Amino acid sequence: MELYKFHVFLAMVAVLFLFPVVHGWGLDGHYTVCKIAQSRLSKAAADAVEKLLPTSANGDLASVCIWADRVKFHYHWSSPLHYIDTPDNLCNYQYKRDCKDEDGVEDRCVAGAIYNYTNQLLSYNKGNGHVSTYNLTEALLFLSHFFGDIHQPLHVGFTSDRGGNTIDVHWYTRKTVLHHVWDSNIIETVEERYDDSNVDELVDAIQKNITTGWDDQVNSWESCSGNKTACPDIYASEGIKAACDWAYKGVSEDSTLEDDYFLSRYPIVQWRLAQGGVRLAATLNRIFK
């Protein structure tokens, strides 16, 4: 049975390379978060991550960071775990009020998922012959992906527009929706203009900002109140504030978003990618200490 489960998992990992689907931050956004995170792992956490990664990843967490988006067709139950819908225009988040799916089932949102998969991964430390009842490889991949999702501002957006998914806009001359602008269009435009369309150059640029321009913020990003292992409620509260202050601001149906929007928003995208990577690493370091 365990061998069967492993083969099923490998088959789902293979889907990553067969069907290009874009959700969450998009492929490059999630890659960036996980690349930053893996570079900041303690030895204990790095060893655990390497053991839990599927063989096909060749030790590279970033290469499978998009996995949770690619298995939605197989794990239909996981779709609500990628986002949080908040009341329109309140611009705040409350776990008990907002962390539920469309059927009202509590804890089924990206914050609840981060709590859940963090707790699952904590069973890794029991050792001494203990066999976890969880699939810890999948727990690692879900957790890593959801850290990216919760730092995308419109994954903590308004209920009526489904996080900007129903707001039609033009990104320069291309028709799209506001959610996709934040998932992919801003990152793609950054790469085209400044990084020779190379995601690794984007990662390097953000890494430099983490160690220079944002170095005075990193300790606060890494910390978690009340000795918690993960603090997704903090990240979600930041997310809806960023959505109101930057993503939604000045945008209406059929808006054309060009340089004024791009140049003022791409620093926010880079900042949130940096926070997601730093916080994922800090959480994995706490889990596997």
Side-chain angles (χ1 to χ4, degrees):
M1 180 60 71
E2 290 303 317
L3 182 60
Y4 169 77
K5 290 180 179 178
F6 181 68
H7 285 155
V8 169
F9 178 76
L10 287 182
M12 288 188 293
V13 169
V15 172
L16 288 172
F17 307 102
L18 295 175
F19 302 103
V21 182
V22 176
H23 296 287
W25 273 117
L27 178 60
D28 285 359
H30 283 291
Y31 178 95
T32 299
V33 169
C34 284
K35 204 70 173 177
I36 291 168
Q38 193 162 17
S39 72
R40 302 178 64 86
L41 294 179
S42 65
K43 185 179 186 308
D47 289 346
V49 166
E50 186 170 358
K51 288 178 182 177
L52 290 175
L53 282 173
T55 305
S56 60
N58 293 316
D60 183 11
L61 178 61
S63 70
V64 288
C65 206
I66 198 72
W67 176 83
D69 276 337
R70 303 292 168 82
V71 295
K72 286 180 183 177
F73 77 97
H74 185 79
Y75 292 159
H76 296 292
W77 50 264
S78 71
S79 291
L81 306 184
H82 292 254
Y83 60 88
I84 301 168
D85 286 335
T86 71
D88 291 3
N89 302 311
L90 290 186
C91 297
N92 64 40
Y93 156 82
Q94 297 174 19
Y95 186 91
K96 289 186 177 180
R97 182 191 68 196
D98 303 328
C99 191
K100 58 183 181 297
D101 64 19
E102 292 181 348
D103 296 322
V105 180
E106 296 179 352
D107 303 318
R108 284 180 48 75
C109 77
V110 67
I114 287 175
Y115 282 126
N116 176 37
Y117 290 112
T118 296
N119 289 333
Q120 289 190 25
L121 285 169
L122 285 169
S123 69
Y124 178 90
N125 295 320
K126 293 183 179 179
N128 297 322
H130 171 80
V131 178
S132 176
T133 57
Y134 304 113
N135 183 327
L136 296 185
T137 293
E138 291 191 0
L140 172 65
L141 299 190
F142 273 126
L143 182 69
S144 300
H145 183 91
F146 292 148
F147 259 80
D149 280 349
I150 203 169
H151 282 85
Q152 204 275 55
L154 287 177
H155 274 251
V156 191
F158 296 154
T159 301
S160 67
D161 58 49
R162 304 177 68 86
N165 272 298
T166 65
I167 300 176
D168 293 322
V169 298
H170 281 84
W171 181 247
Y172 295 88
T173 59
R174 185 188 310 170
K175 188 171 183 179
T176 184
V177 295
L178 183 62
H179 189 98
H180 192 264
V181 167
W182 283 79
D183 273 354
S184 300
N185 294 133
I186 293 175
I187 292 174
E188 290 168 356
T189 304
V190 170
E191 291 173 347
E192 290 167 3
R193 291 194 183 184
Y194 308 118
D195 299 320
D196 296 323
S197 297
N198 186 331
V199 65
D200 288 315
E201 291 192 17
L202 172 65
V203 173
D204 289 344
I206 295 176
Q207 294 272 38
K208 288 176 183 176
N209 279 333
I210 290 171
T211 57
T212 55
W214 299 322
D215 57 317
D216 59 336
Q217 302 177 44
V218 169
N219 285 343
S220 65
W221 294 352
E222 292 177 324
S223 65
C224 208
S225 59
N227 293 319
K228 293 180 180 178
T229 306
C231 285
D233 294 329
I234 293 174
Y235 320 149
S237 293
E238 294 171 349
I240 184 58
K241 186 176 188 306
C244 289
D245 290 348
W246 298 102
Y248 286 119
K249 190 172 183 180
V251 178
S252 57
E253 183 72 11
D254 293 325
S255 288
T256 297
L257 308 178
E258 298 182 304
D259 275 358
D260 285 349
Y261 192 91
F262 167 67
L263 294 172
S264 58
R265 270 62 172 186
Y266 92 77
I268 306 303
V269 168
Q270 292 182 311
W271 184 54
R272 292 299 280 171
L273 290 171
Q275 288 179 319
V278 168
R279 285 165 166 167
L280 174 58
T283 300
L284 293 174
N285 288 339
R286 286 189 286 266
I287 289 171
F288 297 120
K289 65 183 178 182

